[in-house]
Amino acid sequence: MLEGQNLVFQFLPGYGDRRWNQDVLAFVKRSGGRLREAADAIVTLIQNGEEQPVAAIEFCGALPAGNQAWQRHGRAFSFAHADVPYFFVAELGGFELDADRGLKAERMPNPAIPFSFFAMTRYHGSVCLPVYEANAGATEETIQRFGPIFGKENFLEFLRLAVLGLPTEQAASRLGEKCVALVKLLADSKKRNDGLTGVQWKSAHDAVMAGQSLPDFLNINARLAWKKTTSIKSLTVSASAFMAIGAKEAFGLTSKALPLSFVPKEHRSRFSAKAKALYPDISEHFLAWLDNDNRNLAIAWVTGFKPGGEDGRPDRGLSPFARMLVGDECDLLTFVYGPAPVAHWNELARNPVALARDNGLWEAVLGVSDAVLVDSATKPAALPRGYLKDAWAAVLKEEDIPLMVEARVRSFGEQDVDTALHVAFESLGADVVFEGMCNPPGGDWSGISFRWDSAESEHRWLTLPRVSAEGAKRPDHVFAVFGHSDRPVCLCIESKELARSLDANIGPRLKRYTEALFESAPSISRGEKIAPWAIY
């Protein structure tokens, strides 16, 4: 790009060829993207009349711990396979709160989370990295300890260079170094020794850099005892027994606690024999695959479904998380034991491609796994228990999975409603309205802010509960509207695409949520919008 040349930026909310002339996600799929996952934002350049992605960005304001930490790994995996640089922007130093919104403890990601991004970048050669910055409520001690790995400036430098068409390797390399440094820092900071030490993580990094797979490294240097525990009430006796087999024959995939394990290739025959004894209905074809002693076997243990049968959203990232850690030179078995709807089991047996087309969780499982083993209280006895990748190979083909189904059916959706609300209220000006929470694409659900006067300090409540009181529901938008009296009006909005989708009595429930939240002290506060946050 020539010096002095003007840049023109255009912001297009949402995806889909019915919305815009081109569907950038179709480009991602054609380029090798395995899953129908859309990032929060994709930065593209118009070249020869077509959009060419230069970066995909995912923003996460949730605490980066527990299963939330890997919820979006499917997106990372898919964009990496399409050779589109992918960045996961998250925060460190946020606190978990108790029932009274008192501080309990800082929540940090398992070191395997950032390591999986490094490993994916190394295995596949495409930039796929996390970018961490300090949570607004982080303590000074945390900011000091993790300061060297905060990478927002390097991330912005990558974007600048990419948009200008300049080399980005150095900016990406600096972010990669911060990612690796964070892995060791997180391991050294853990109070409970349930995984690799900082020194072991450094050795794992060196091994992967030298071309060794992570399972091979762990098998030689860090065989971690592993055990699967679960609290679901519908767990079958046989599923519990299979978990016990896993505890005997498998080792922890970097951790004793993560629902990921691996069976070294020299143990696969013994593991297969025990699985056959437990599940006599497994086909010989499946057992022959399970008995392959030429490759290590990674296992993702996926609950997948809530008691009512609806998807457990974070679990859609678990199998991609496992694949990012182990690469393609290791077999991946996903064991699904949650109470999926009976219709899902029927479709898995009859037409797994159609199931993946209609359900994002199954698409994530099938899109990265070599095999799936199921043991659920809702599975009809007559249906198969084990499935191999040949049954759903078409899931990996772009033409067989429509992208963004809803966008192809109609031009407008709930995200447009959210965007319209955001733009309309913002246009009134800061002296008339203050936006405390918004829900459009790229909006921030990590907290609710409020000003009691257009010139007063901003107070913010972090780590929002889904329900703050009985009969309450978290709003999609919260505004402070000034000028009606000596106090602002607090306007809470639930946004839906269709009026018939609104729940009954929704208004009082939104009010109750916000009233209950405001009865507690804010987490942080600041004066002007650009001023730094301070603990309240």
Side-chain angles (χ1 to χ4, degrees), residues 288-333:
W289 173 85
L290 197 60
D291 200 18
N292 179 10
D293 59 3
N294 293 318
R295 288 161 64 94
N296 296 311
L297 173 68
I299 308 175
W301 303 79
V302 175
T303 310
F305 299 90
K306 299 175 183 178
E310 64 271 28
D311 293 3
R313 188 176 182 85
D315 272 11
R316 70 192 297 167
L318 188 54
S319 296
F321 175 30
R323 181 60 81 189
M324 288 169 66
L325 282 172
V326 302
D328 293 328
E329 300 306 312
C330 176
D331 286 336
L332 175 59
L333 168 68

mmCIF file of all heavy atoms in Angstrom, residues 288-333:
data_model
loop_
_atom_site.group_PDB
_atom_site.id
_atom_site.type_symbol
_atom_site.label_atom_id
_atom_site.label_comp_id
_atom_site.label_asym_id
_atom_site.label_seq_id
_atom_site.Cartn_x
_atom_site.Cartn_y
_atom_site.Cartn_z
ATOM 1 N N ALA A 288 -11.647 -52.775 15.542
ATOM 2 C CA ALA A 288 -10.385 -52.846 14.797
ATOM 3 C C ALA A 288 -9.705 -51.482 14.776
ATOM 4 O O ALA A 288 -8.481 -51.378 14.901
ATOM 5 C CB ALA A 288 -10.654 -53.334 13.372
ATOM 6 N N TRP A 289 -10.512 -50.422 14.623
ATOM 7 C CA TRP A 289 -9.943 -49.068 14.677
ATOM 8 C C TRP A 289 -9.413 -48.774 16.073
ATOM 9 O O TRP A 289 -8.312 -48.240 16.237
ATOM 10 C CB TRP A 289 -11.016 -48.035 14.295
ATOM 11 C CG TRP A 289 -10.545 -46.624 14.484
ATOM 12 C CD1 TRP A 289 -9.831 -45.877 13.597
ATOM 13 C CD2 TRP A 289 -10.704 -45.816 15.654
ATOM 14 N NE1 TRP A 289 -9.547 -44.637 14.141
ATOM 15 C CE2 TRP A 289 -10.074 -44.574 15.399
ATOM 16 C CE3 TRP A 289 -11.328 -46.013 16.883
ATOM 17 C CZ2 TRP A 289 -10.047 -43.549 16.335
ATOM 18 C CZ3 TRP A 289 -11.300 -44.984 17.818
ATOM 19 C CH2 TRP A 289 -10.672 -43.772 17.547
ATOM 20 N N LEU A 290 -10.175 -49.125 17.093
ATOM 21 C CA LEU A 290 -9.776 -48.840 18.470
ATOM 22 C C LEU A 290 -8.507 -49.583 18.844
ATOM 23 O O LEU A 290 -7.737 -49.137 19.690
ATOM 24 C CB LEU A 290 -10.919 -49.233 19.415
ATOM 25 C CG LEU A 290 -10.897 -48.684 20.839
ATOM 26 C CD1 LEU A 290 -10.921 -47.162 20.829
ATOM 27 C CD2 LEU A 290 -12.087 -49.214 21.633
ATOM 28 N N ASP A 291 -8.250 -50.715 18.179
ATOM 29 C CA ASP A 291 -7.118 -51.590 18.504
ATOM 30 C C ASP A 291 -5.828 -51.185 17.778
ATOM 31 O O ASP A 291 -4.822 -51.868 17.878
ATOM 32 C CB ASP A 291 -7.489 -53.031 18.144
ATOM 33 C CG ASP A 291 -6.616 -54.040 18.857
ATOM 34 O OD1 ASP A 291 -5.968 -53.680 19.853
ATOM 35 O OD2 ASP A 291 -6.561 -55.197 18.410
ATOM 36 N N ASN A 292 -5.871 -50.104 17.039
ATOM 37 C CA ASN A 292 -4.716 -49.678 16.244
ATOM 38 C C ASN A 292 -3.575 -49.225 17.150
ATOM 39 O O ASN A 292 -3.659 -48.190 17.811
ATOM 40 C CB ASN A 292 -5.138 -48.537 15.309
ATOM 41 C CG ASN A 292 -3.985 -48.018 14.468
ATOM 42 O OD1 ASN A 292 -2.908 -48.596 14.430
ATOM 43 N ND2 ASN A 292 -4.224 -46.913 13.777
ATOM 44 N N ASP A 293 -2.486 -49.995 17.154
ATOM 45 C CA ASP A 293 -1.373 -49.664 18.047
ATOM 46 C C ASP A 293 -0.272 -48.873 17.350
ATOM 47 O O ASP A 293 0.862 -48.813 17.825
ATOM 48 C CB ASP A 293 -0.796 -50.929 18.686
ATOM 49 C CG ASP A 293 -0.281 -51.920 17.648
ATOM 50 O OD1 ASP A 293 -0.325 -51.593 16.436
ATOM 51 O OD2 ASP A 293 0.173 -53.012 18.043
ATOM 52 N N ASN A 294 -0.620 -48.238 16.225
ATOM 53 C CA ASN A 294 0.356 -47.413 15.512
ATOM 54 C C ASN A 294 0.251 -45.930 15.863
ATOM 55 O O ASN A 294 1.136 -45.154 15.513
ATOM 56 C CB ASN A 294 0.177 -47.575 14.000
ATOM 57 C CG ASN A 294 0.542 -48.962 13.524
ATOM 58 O OD1 ASN A 294 1.545 -49.533 13.978
ATOM 59 N ND2 ASN A 294 -0.270 -49.529 12.631
ATOM 60 N N ARG A 295 -0.854 -45.563 16.520
ATOM 61 C CA ARG A 295 -1.066 -44.154 16.836
ATOM 62 C C ARG A 295 -1.589 -44.012 18.264
ATOM 63 O O ARG A 295 -2.324 -44.878 18.759
ATOM 64 C CB ARG A 295 -2.094 -43.535 15.863
ATOM 65 C CG ARG A 295 -1.570 -43.339 14.453
ATOM 66 C CD ARG A 295 -2.695 -43.188 13.450
ATOM 67 N NE ARG A 295 -3.507 -42.000 13.675
ATOM 68 C CZ ARG A 295 -3.303 -40.834 13.083
ATOM 69 N NH1 ARG A 295 -2.283 -40.672 12.255
ATOM 70 N NH2 ARG A 295 -4.113 -39.820 13.306
ATOM 71 N N ASN A 296 -1.199 -42.920 18.919
ATOM 72 C CA ASN A 296 -1.768 -42.612 20.228
ATOM 73 C C ASN A 296 -3.254 -42.284 20.063
ATOM 74 O O ASN A 296 -3.700 -41.869 18.993
ATOM 75 C CB ASN A 296 -1.047 -41.418 20.858
ATOM 76 C CG ASN A 296 0.410 -41.712 21.139
ATOM 77 O OD1 ASN A 296 0.757 -42.735 21.717
ATOM 78 N ND2 ASN A 296 1.292 -40.806 20.717
ATOM 79 N N LEU A 297 -3.999 -42.463 21.135
ATOM 80 C CA LEU A 297 -5.433 -42.197 21.111
ATOM 81 C C LEU A 297 -5.782 -41.142 22.160
ATOM 82 O O LEU A 297 -5.568 -41.356 23.356
ATOM 83 C CB LEU A 297 -6.218 -43.477 21.416
ATOM 84 C CG LEU A 297 -7.735 -43.322 21.592
ATOM 85 C CD1 LEU A 297 -8.391 -42.941 20.266
ATOM 86 C CD2 LEU A 297 -8.348 -44.603 22.153
ATOM 87 N N ALA A 298 -6.286 -39.998 21.720
ATOM 88 C CA ALA A 298 -6.791 -38.973 22.647
ATOM 89 C C ALA A 298 -8.297 -39.180 22.800
ATOM 90 O O ALA A 298 -8.977 -39.610 21.867
ATOM 91 C CB ALA A 298 -6.498 -37.580 22.120
ATOM 92 N N ILE A 299 -8.808 -38.882 24.001
ATOM 93 C CA ILE A 299 -10.239 -39.030 24.266
ATOM 94 C C ILE A 299 -10.790 -37.734 24.849
ATOM 95 O O ILE A 299 -10.240 -37.200 25.825
ATOM 96 C CB ILE A 299 -10.524 -40.186 25.251
ATOM 97 C CG1 ILE A 299 -9.853 -41.468 24.796
ATOM 98 C CG2 ILE A 299 -12.033 -40.397 25.391
ATOM 99 C CD1 ILE A 299 -9.997 -42.613 25.780
ATOM 100 N N ALA A 300 -11.852 -37.223 24.243
ATOM 101 C CA ALA A 300 -12.599 -36.086 24.787
ATOM 102 C C ALA A 300 -13.864 -36.631 25.420
ATOM 103 O O ALA A 300 -14.658 -37.311 24.757
ATOM 104 C CB ALA A 300 -12.935 -35.081 23.684
ATOM 105 N N TRP A 301 -14.072 -36.348 26.711
ATOM 106 C CA TRP A 301 -15.203 -36.887 27.465
ATOM 107 C C TRP A 301 -16.274 -35.804 27.531
ATOM 108 O O TRP A 301 -16.179 -34.864 28.318
ATOM 109 C CB TRP A 301 -14.744 -37.309 28.856
ATOM 110 C CG TRP A 301 -13.622 -38.308 28.827
ATOM 111 C CD1 TRP A 301 -12.295 -38.053 28.606
ATOM 112 C CD2 TRP A 301 -13.730 -39.726 29.008
ATOM 113 N NE1 TRP A 301 -11.570 -39.211 28.642
ATOM 114 C CE2 TRP A 301 -12.425 -40.270 28.885
ATOM 115 C CE3 TRP A 301 -14.793 -40.585 29.265
ATOM 116 C CZ2 TRP A 301 -12.164 -41.626 29.016
ATOM 117 C CZ3 TRP A 301 -14.530 -41.947 29.388
ATOM 118 C CH2 TRP A 301 -13.233 -42.448 29.259
ATOM 119 N N VAL A 302 -17.294 -35.938 26.691
ATOM 120 C CA VAL A 302 -18.250 -34.861 26.459
ATOM 121 C C VAL A 302 -19.619 -35.200 27.060
ATOM 122 O O VAL A 302 -20.264 -36.169 26.638
ATOM 123 C CB VAL A 302 -18.400 -34.589 24.948
ATOM 124 C CG1 VAL A 302 -19.482 -33.551 24.690
ATOM 125 C CG2 VAL A 302 -17.075 -34.123 24.365
ATOM 126 N N THR A 303 -20.049 -34.401 28.044
ATOM 127 C CA THR A 303 -21.426 -34.516 28.522
ATOM 128 C C THR A 303 -22.381 -34.058 27.420
ATOM 129 O O THR A 303 -23.312 -34.757 27.039
ATOM 130 C CB THR A 303 -21.653 -33.661 29.780
ATOM 131 O OG1 THR A 303 -20.635 -33.950 30.722
ATOM 132 C CG2 THR A 303 -23.022 -33.931 30.372
ATOM 133 N N GLY A 304 -22.151 -32.854 26.940
ATOM 134 C CA GLY A 304 -22.830 -32.374 25.744
ATOM 135 C C GLY A 304 -24.223 -31.824 25.920
ATOM 136 O O GLY A 304 -24.592 -30.864 25.261
ATOM 137 N N PHE A 305 -25.009 -32.415 26.827
ATOM 138 C CA PHE A 305 -26.420 -32.044 26.898
ATOM 139 C C PHE A 305 -26.876 -31.886 28.341
ATOM 140 O O PHE A 305 -26.454 -32.623 29.228
ATOM 141 C CB PHE A 305 -27.272 -33.091 26.183
ATOM 142 C CG PHE A 305 -26.926 -33.216 24.735
ATOM 143 C CD1 PHE A 305 -25.947 -34.111 24.331
ATOM 144 C CD2 PHE A 305 -27.529 -32.416 23.786
ATOM 145 C CE1 PHE A 305 -25.588 -34.207 22.994
ATOM 146 C CE2 PHE A 305 -27.176 -32.500 22.459
ATOM 147 C CZ PHE A 305 -26.206 -33.400 22.051
ATOM 148 N N LYS A 306 -27.745 -30.916 28.549
ATOM 149 C CA LYS A 306 -28.309 -30.648 29.869
ATOM 150 C C LYS A 306 -29.446 -31.639 30.146
ATOM 151 O O LYS A 306 -29.891 -32.346 29.237
ATOM 152 C CB LYS A 306 -28.807 -29.208 29.925
ATOM 153 C CG LYS A 306 -27.704 -28.181 29.691
ATOM 154 C CD LYS A 306 -28.262 -26.764 29.644
ATOM 155 C CE LYS A 306 -27.162 -25.760 29.333
ATOM 156 N NZ LYS A 306 -27.694 -24.371 29.233
ATOM 157 N N PRO A 307 -29.923 -31.706 31.390
ATOM 158 C CA PRO A 307 -30.971 -32.688 31.725
ATOM 159 C C PRO A 307 -32.194 -32.629 30.831
ATOM 160 O O PRO A 307 -32.815 -33.649 30.544
ATOM 161 C CB PRO A 307 -31.319 -32.327 33.177
ATOM 162 C CG PRO A 307 -30.063 -31.745 33.725
ATOM 163 C CD PRO A 307 -29.437 -30.988 32.587
ATOM 164 N N GLY A 308 -32.555 -31.434 30.352
ATOM 165 C CA GLY A 308 -33.728 -31.307 29.488
ATOM 166 C C GLY A 308 -33.466 -31.673 28.045
ATOM 167 O O GLY A 308 -34.372 -31.646 27.216
ATOM 168 N N GLY A 309 -32.197 -31.987 27.694
ATOM 169 C CA GLY A 309 -31.859 -32.376 26.333
ATOM 170 C C GLY A 309 -31.280 -31.261 25.486
ATOM 171 O O GLY A 309 -30.789 -31.513 24.382
ATOM 172 N N GLU A 310 -31.288 -29.994 25.991
ATOM 173 C CA GLU A 310 -30.712 -28.908 25.212
ATOM 174 C C GLU A 310 -29.186 -28.972 25.280
ATOM 175 O O GLU A 310 -28.607 -29.502 26.218
ATOM 176 C CB GLU A 310 -31.230 -27.544 25.691
ATOM 177 C CG GLU A 310 -30.842 -27.162 27.102
ATOM 178 C CD GLU A 310 -31.831 -27.640 28.145
ATOM 179 O OE1 GLU A 310 -32.506 -28.666 27.917
ATOM 180 O OE2 GLU A 310 -31.910 -26.998 29.211
ATOM 181 N N ASP A 311 -28.539 -28.400 24.261
ATOM 182 C CA ASP A 311 -27.081 -28.448 24.182
ATOM 183 C C ASP A 311 -26.438 -27.760 25.383
ATOM 184 O O ASP A 311 -26.896 -26.702 25.826
ATOM 185 C CB ASP A 311 -26.587 -27.732 22.924
ATOM 186 C CG ASP A 311 -26.987 -28.461 21.656
ATOM 187 O OD1 ASP A 311 -27.689 -29.472 21.760
ATOM 188 O OD2 ASP A 311 -26.587 -28.016 20.566
ATOM 189 N N GLY A 312 -25.337 -28.358 25.869
ATOM 190 C CA GLY A 312 -24.457 -27.666 26.804
ATOM 191 C C GLY A 312 -23.456 -26.890 25.970
ATOM 192 O O GLY A 312 -22.472 -27.452 25.485
ATOM 193 N N ARG A 313 -23.715 -25.616 25.764
ATOM 194 C CA ARG A 313 -22.982 -24.832 24.766
ATOM 195 C C ARG A 313 -21.457 -24.927 24.887
ATOM 196 O O ARG A 313 -20.764 -25.099 23.890
ATOM 197 C CB ARG A 313 -23.429 -23.368 24.837
ATOM 198 C CG ARG A 313 -22.869 -22.507 23.709
ATOM 199 C CD ARG A 313 -23.433 -21.089 23.767
ATOM 200 N NE ARG A 313 -22.941 -20.282 22.667
ATOM 201 C CZ ARG A 313 -23.478 -20.238 21.466
ATOM 202 N NH1 ARG A 313 -24.526 -20.980 21.217
ATOM 203 N NH2 ARG A 313 -22.980 -19.483 20.518
ATOM 204 N N PRO A 314 -20.872 -24.807 26.091
ATOM 205 C CA PRO A 314 -19.410 -24.858 26.157
ATOM 206 C C PRO A 314 -18.807 -26.155 25.629
ATOM 207 O O PRO A 314 -17.677 -26.160 25.149
ATOM 208 C CB PRO A 314 -19.120 -24.685 27.654
ATOM 209 C CG PRO A 314 -20.301 -23.937 28.177
ATOM 210 C CD PRO A 314 -21.465 -24.477 27.397
ATOM 211 N N ASP A 315 -19.566 -27.260 25.688
ATOM 212 C CA ASP A 315 -19.000 -28.546 25.268
ATOM 213 C C ASP A 315 -18.735 -28.615 23.775
ATOM 214 O O ASP A 315 -18.004 -29.505 23.321
ATOM 215 C CB ASP A 315 -19.935 -29.686 25.684
ATOM 216 C CG ASP A 315 -19.647 -30.173 27.091
ATOM 217 O OD1 ASP A 315 -18.887 -29.497 27.800
ATOM 218 O OD2 ASP A 315 -20.186 -31.214 27.490
ATOM 219 N N ARG A 316 -19.288 -27.690 23.006
ATOM 220 C CA ARG A 316 -19.025 -27.725 21.567
ATOM 221 C C ARG A 316 -17.560 -27.397 21.275
ATOM 222 O O ARG A 316 -17.070 -27.674 20.174
ATOM 223 C CB ARG A 316 -19.951 -26.763 20.828
ATOM 224 C CG ARG A 316 -19.677 -25.298 21.066
ATOM 225 C CD ARG A 316 -20.786 -24.401 20.552
ATOM 226 N NE ARG A 316 -20.957 -24.493 19.122
ATOM 227 C CZ ARG A 316 -22.008 -23.997 18.468
ATOM 228 N NH1 ARG A 316 -22.981 -23.401 19.138
ATOM 229 N NH2 ARG A 316 -22.090 -24.087 17.173
ATOM 230 N N GLY A 317 -16.852 -26.845 22.256
ATOM 231 C CA GLY A 317 -15.441 -26.535 22.037
ATOM 232 C C GLY A 317 -14.486 -27.583 22.565
ATOM 233 O O GLY A 317 -13.273 -27.476 22.368
ATOM 234 N N LEU A 318 -15.005 -28.631 23.240
ATOM 235 C CA LEU A 318 -14.119 -29.575 23.911
ATOM 236 C C LEU A 318 -13.353 -30.459 22.926
ATOM 237 O O LEU A 318 -12.125 -30.632 23.061
ATOM 238 C CB LEU A 318 -14.923 -30.433 24.891
ATOM 239 C CG LEU A 318 -14.108 -31.340 25.808
ATOM 240 C CD1 LEU A 318 -13.052 -30.564 26.567
ATOM 241 C CD2 LEU A 318 -15.026 -32.072 26.791
ATOM 242 N N SER A 319 -14.030 -31.043 21.959
ATOM 243 C CA SER A 319 -13.324 -31.878 20.971
ATOM 244 C C SER A 319 -12.337 -31.064 20.142
ATOM 245 O O SER A 319 -11.193 -31.513 19.926
ATOM 246 C CB SER A 319 -14.339 -32.596 20.070
ATOM 247 O OG SER A 319 -15.127 -33.496 20.822
ATOM 248 N N PRO A 320 -12.696 -29.848 19.663
ATOM 249 C CA PRO A 320 -11.687 -29.025 18.989
ATOM 250 C C PRO A 320 -10.498 -28.675 19.894
ATOM 251 O O PRO A 320 -9.357 -28.631 19.426
ATOM 252 C CB PRO A 320 -12.471 -27.768 18.582
ATOM 253 C CG PRO A 320 -13.882 -28.243 18.425
ATOM 254 C CD PRO A 320 -14.056 -29.269 19.508
ATOM 255 N N PHE A 321 -10.756 -28.432 21.169
ATOM 256 C CA PHE A 321 -9.684 -28.164 22.131
ATOM 257 C C PHE A 321 -8.712 -29.345 22.172
ATOM 258 O O PHE A 321 -7.484 -29.171 22.111
ATOM 259 C CB PHE A 321 -10.318 -27.917 23.503
ATOM 260 C CG PHE A 321 -9.372 -27.731 24.652
ATOM 261 C CD1 PHE A 321 -8.114 -27.180 24.477
ATOM 262 C CD2 PHE A 321 -9.761 -28.097 25.931
ATOM 263 C CE1 PHE A 321 -7.248 -27.000 25.561
ATOM 264 C CE2 PHE A 321 -8.919 -27.929 27.014
ATOM 265 C CZ PHE A 321 -7.660 -27.387 26.827
ATOM 266 N N ALA A 322 -9.262 -30.561 22.241
ATOM 267 C CA ALA A 322 -8.414 -31.750 22.248
ATOM 268 C C ALA A 322 -7.597 -31.846 20.965
ATOM 269 O O ALA A 322 -6.393 -32.121 20.991
ATOM 270 C CB ALA A 322 -9.276 -33.004 22.425
ATOM 271 N N ARG A 323 -8.253 -31.612 19.822
ATOM 272 C CA ARG A 323 -7.539 -31.704 18.548
ATOM 273 C C ARG A 323 -6.438 -30.663 18.443
ATOM 274 O O ARG A 323 -5.352 -30.942 17.896
ATOM 275 C CB ARG A 323 -8.537 -31.562 17.395
ATOM 276 C CG ARG A 323 -7.909 -31.657 16.014
ATOM 277 C CD ARG A 323 -7.210 -32.988 15.797
ATOM 278 N NE ARG A 323 -8.123 -34.052 15.434
ATOM 279 C CZ ARG A 323 -7.778 -35.336 15.358
ATOM 280 N NH1 ARG A 323 -6.540 -35.707 15.647
ATOM 281 N NH2 ARG A 323 -8.665 -36.251 15.026
ATOM 282 N N MET A 324 -6.672 -29.474 18.952
ATOM 283 C CA MET A 324 -5.641 -28.441 18.914
ATOM 284 C C MET A 324 -4.425 -28.844 19.745
ATOM 285 O O MET A 324 -3.290 -28.515 19.409
ATOM 286 C CB MET A 324 -6.218 -27.110 19.399
ATOM 287 C CG MET A 324 -7.176 -26.461 18.399
ATOM 288 S SD MET A 324 -8.097 -25.049 19.079
ATOM 289 C CE MET A 324 -6.762 -23.879 19.370
ATOM 290 N N LEU A 325 -4.655 -29.567 20.838
ATOM 291 C CA LEU A 325 -3.539 -30.010 21.685
ATOM 292 C C LEU A 325 -2.736 -31.134 21.045
ATOM 293 O O LEU A 325 -1.501 -31.161 21.150
ATOM 294 C CB LEU A 325 -4.064 -30.474 23.044
ATOM 295 C CG LEU A 325 -4.432 -29.394 24.066
ATOM 296 C CD1 LEU A 325 -5.110 -30.027 25.279
ATOM 297 C CD2 LEU A 325 -3.190 -28.618 24.507
ATOM 298 N N VAL A 326 -3.413 -32.086 20.403
ATOM 299 C CA VAL A 326 -2.716 -33.294 19.958
ATOM 300 C C VAL A 326 -2.330 -33.278 18.486
ATOM 301 O O VAL A 326 -1.508 -34.093 18.055
ATOM 302 C CB VAL A 326 -3.560 -34.555 20.245
ATOM 303 C CG1 VAL A 326 -3.878 -34.650 21.721
ATOM 304 C CG2 VAL A 326 -4.852 -34.586 19.414
ATOM 305 N N GLY A 327 -2.903 -32.401 17.681
ATOM 306 C CA GLY A 327 -2.588 -32.377 16.266
ATOM 307 C C GLY A 327 -3.246 -33.510 15.501
ATOM 308 O O GLY A 327 -4.093 -34.245 16.019
ATOM 309 N N ASP A 328 -2.834 -33.689 14.241
ATOM 310 C CA ASP A 328 -3.463 -34.680 13.366
ATOM 311 C C ASP A 328 -2.780 -36.038 13.392
ATOM 312 O O ASP A 328 -3.290 -36.991 12.798
ATOM 313 C CB ASP A 328 -3.490 -34.157 11.920
ATOM 314 C CG ASP A 328 -4.409 -32.969 11.763
ATOM 315 O OD1 ASP A 328 -5.423 -32.906 12.488
ATOM 316 O OD2 ASP A 328 -4.122 -32.091 10.921
ATOM 317 N N GLU A 329 -1.632 -36.139 14.067
ATOM 318 C CA GLU A 329 -0.911 -37.413 14.101
ATOM 319 C C GLU A 329 -1.373 -38.299 15.252
ATOM 320 O O GLU A 329 -0.699 -39.267 15.604
ATOM 321 C CB GLU A 329 0.601 -37.145 14.213
ATOM 322 C CG GLU A 329 1.173 -36.347 13.066
ATOM 323 C CD GLU A 329 0.853 -36.973 11.711
ATOM 324 O OE1 GLU A 329 1.056 -38.196 11.563
ATOM 325 O OE2 GLU A 329 0.396 -36.246 10.812
ATOM 326 N N CYS A 330 -2.478 -37.960 15.846
ATOM 327 C CA CYS A 330 -3.036 -38.708 16.972
ATOM 328 C C CYS A 330 -4.516 -38.942 16.688
ATOM 329 O O CYS A 330 -5.208 -38.044 16.202
ATOM 330 C CB CYS A 330 -2.851 -37.910 18.269
ATOM 331 S SG CYS A 330 -3.580 -38.646 19.748
ATOM 332 N N ASP A 331 -5.013 -40.147 16.946
ATOM 333 C CA ASP A 331 -6.445 -40.398 16.785
ATOM 334 C C ASP A 331 -7.219 -39.714 17.909
ATOM 335 O O ASP A 331 -6.727 -39.606 19.032
ATOM 336 C CB ASP A 331 -6.735 -41.903 16.831
ATOM 337 C CG ASP A 331 -6.294 -42.616 15.568
ATOM 338 O OD1 ASP A 331 -6.202 -41.954 14.519
ATOM 339 O OD2 ASP A 331 -6.037 -43.836 15.630
ATOM 340 N N LEU A 332 -8.430 -39.272 17.586
ATOM 341 C CA LEU A 332 -9.277 -38.614 18.584
ATOM 342 C C LEU A 332 -10.630 -39.324 18.662
ATOM 343 O O LEU A 332 -11.360 -39.403 17.668
ATOM 344 C CB LEU A 332 -9.493 -37.138 18.246
ATOM 345 C CG LEU A 332 -10.475 -36.367 19.149
ATOM 346 C CD1 LEU A 332 -10.011 -36.391 20.601
ATOM 347 C CD2 LEU A 332 -10.652 -34.931 18.671
ATOM 348 N N LEU A 333 -10.939 -39.847 19.839
ATOM 349 C CA LEU A 333 -12.230 -40.447 20.134
ATOM 350 C C LEU A 333 -13.015 -39.495 21.025
ATOM 351 O O LEU A 333 -12.498 -39.047 22.050
ATOM 352 C CB LEU A 333 -12.036 -41.786 20.853
ATOM 353 C CG LEU A 333 -13.281 -42.425 21.492
ATOM 354 C CD1 LEU A 333 -14.257 -42.880 20.412
ATOM 355 C CD2 LEU A 333 -12.889 -43.595 22.388
#
